[in-house]
Amino acid sequence: MFYNLLNLPFTRLSMRGMLQQRLSALAPADSSIVPEKISAYRLRHPTQAIYRSRIASQLAMGQSREELGAKLASIPLHSINTEFLTFRVEIGQPSWLDFYLLDSSFADWLQQLPQRLCQLRQSPSSEFRENQDDLFVLQYVHARCCSLLRLGHREGVIQLIEPDYSESEWQIPWLDSEGKFQLVEPSERSLSLQFLTVADAMDSFSVANWRMLAADLAEAVLVFEQQCRIFGEIKRKNAKLSQARLGLIALSQLLLQVLLENKLGLSAFREL
């Protein structure tokens, strides 16, 4: 049963972080709980972006989940200039609330991911170097993404200023003419949800296994490219779908570049 809608101020890269910040408003004024300690994590659902919080048991305020849900929806939004992401809130088992990200909001998050990501980018790390022998596949996948973007530029599907997606004049059509999310194939959804996993880790104070995150992202890219065509007949019959699929490649390239250069201390090659 869906309880109500929750508008979440779009203020940072991490979906989990934004949700924790919002949920922290439920804590009493004298509480020592900080947003980073609020229970919130993404469920491993294959097609939907769903976050779960055990906020009811964590706060132990003697309020039911229904009361907490109503209170959460009634928290005033202080900024009228901030964009918002919308969730449907579901009353789950005795101690949790589930938050389902609407497709339209997921599209907004994806569209702004490059800009938000650039705020976290740093100069390539020189403090450490991972063993490059078993991580070459990550560099290969990054270079492959760059190659596909250049091909899309040459064929007029997209318009890039730089050889990669760091700068472009390209608005990705994540939604179709009816406002529905275009990317519905399992490998498309799996790759797009992988972006949330990486973003939540990047915009966090917790320690992450960057090697594993990069490997999972690279594998999702390879599976997607194998199962979903971008050019040829798809381009001729549905140009917007072709652009949206290239959008997945573009965001994969950006995330892999940050993971390689800033987290693993490796070069992000544009060509091999």
Side-chain angles (χ1 to χ4, degrees):
M1 177 186 70
F2 288 110
Y3 186 71
N4 51 30
L5 296 179
L6 170 66
N7 289 319
L8 194 67
F10 192 178
T11 56
R12 55 191 291 186
L13 176 66
S14 169
M15 198 77 67
R16 181 183 62 196
M18 289 185 285
L19 187 58
Q20 288 174 317
Q21 187 70 43
R22 190 71 174 154
L23 290 170
S24 68
L26 294 174
D30 58 351
S31 173
S32 60
I33 297 179
V34 295
E36 292 77 16
K37 298 298 183 181
I38 295 291
S39 165
Y41 57 94
R42 188 171 67 82
L43 300 182
R44 294 295 182 180
H45 194 282
T47 60
Q48 289 185 282
I50 309 170
Y51 283 80
R52 173 167 292 173
S53 175
R54 298 181 182 275
I55 186 71
S57 60
Q58 187 175 13
L59 294 180
M61 298 164 55
Q63 298 183 63
S64 68
R65 292 164 299 140
E66 290 79 4
E67 290 172 323
L68 285 174
K71 182 178 179 181
L72 184 62
S74 66
I75 297 173
L77 301 174
H78 298 292
S79 174
I80 61 174
N81 296 318
T82 302
E83 296 181 76
F84 299 100
L85 302 175
T86 303
F87 291 79
R88 288 182 297 190
V89 184
E90 183 182 57
I91 306 300
Q93 295 299 317
S95 62
W96 66 62
L97 296 173
D98 287 342
F99 301 86
Y100 290 70
L101 181 65
L102 298 189
D103 279 349
S104 57
S105 288
F106 193 17
D108 290 339
W109 183 83
L110 290 170
Q111 191 66 52
Q112 293 202 34
L113 181 55
Q115 178 184 352
R116 304 280 175 176
L117 191 59
C118 286
Q119 297 172 0
L120 296 181
R121 291 176 71 174
Q122 307 167 350
S123 299
S125 174
S126 59
E127 295 182 1
F128 63 94
R129 295 279 177 180
E130 288 278 352
N131 184 345
Q132 297 191 31
D133 294 339
D134 59 344
L135 294 180
F136 177 76
V137 65
L138 307 180
Q139 296 169 307
Y140 162 76
V141 174
H142 177 268
R144 178 61 180 161
C145 289
C146 292
S147 176
L148 290 170
L149 291 174
R150 291 194 295 269
L151 178 58
H153 179 80
R154 289 196 301 270
E155 294 206 359
V157 180
I158 58 176
Q159 185 176 4
L160 300 177
I161 298 174
E162 296 292 335
D164 59 13
Y165 184 51
S166 58
E167 294 184 47
S168 74
E169 297 179 355
W170 170 31
Q171 292 294 310
I172 303 171
W174 299 113
L175 304 178
D176 62 20
S177 58
E178 298 179 354
K180 297 179 180 179
F181 202 69
Q182 288 207 82
L183 305 173
V184 296
E185 296 296 328
S187 61
E188 294 172 326
R189 298 294 289 194
S190 178
L191 179 54
S192 62
L193 291 173
Q194 193 66 38
F195 299 159
L196 289 173
T197 301
V198 176
D200 282 343
M202 285 183 173
D203 191 11
S204 170
F205 295 107
S206 60
V207 177
N209 187 332
W210 301 115
R211 179 190 289 247
M212 181 179 294
L213 284 170
D216 289 345
L217 176 58
E219 181 180 1
V221 172
L222 294 176
V223 171
F224 160 71
E225 187 187 1
Q226 181 182 39
Q227 298 183 358
C228 296
R229 294 184 179 275
I230 297 175
F231 302 104
E233 185 177 2
I234 290 294
K235 175 193 167 187
R236 292 191 298 271
K237 292 186 176 181
N238 192 340
K240 289 189 179 300
L241 178 57
S242 178
Q243 288 181 333
R245 287 178 171 175
L246 269 177
L248 291 180
I249 294 296
L251 296 184
S252 298
Q253 179 266 311
L254 276 179
L255 288 167
L256 281 171
Q257 181 179 355
V258 174
L259 287 168
L260 285 166
E261 293 182 343
N262 299 142
K263 304 301 183 181
L264 299 175
L266 300 176
S267 298
F269 299 121
R270 292 180 175 179
E271 293 182 283
L272 291 176

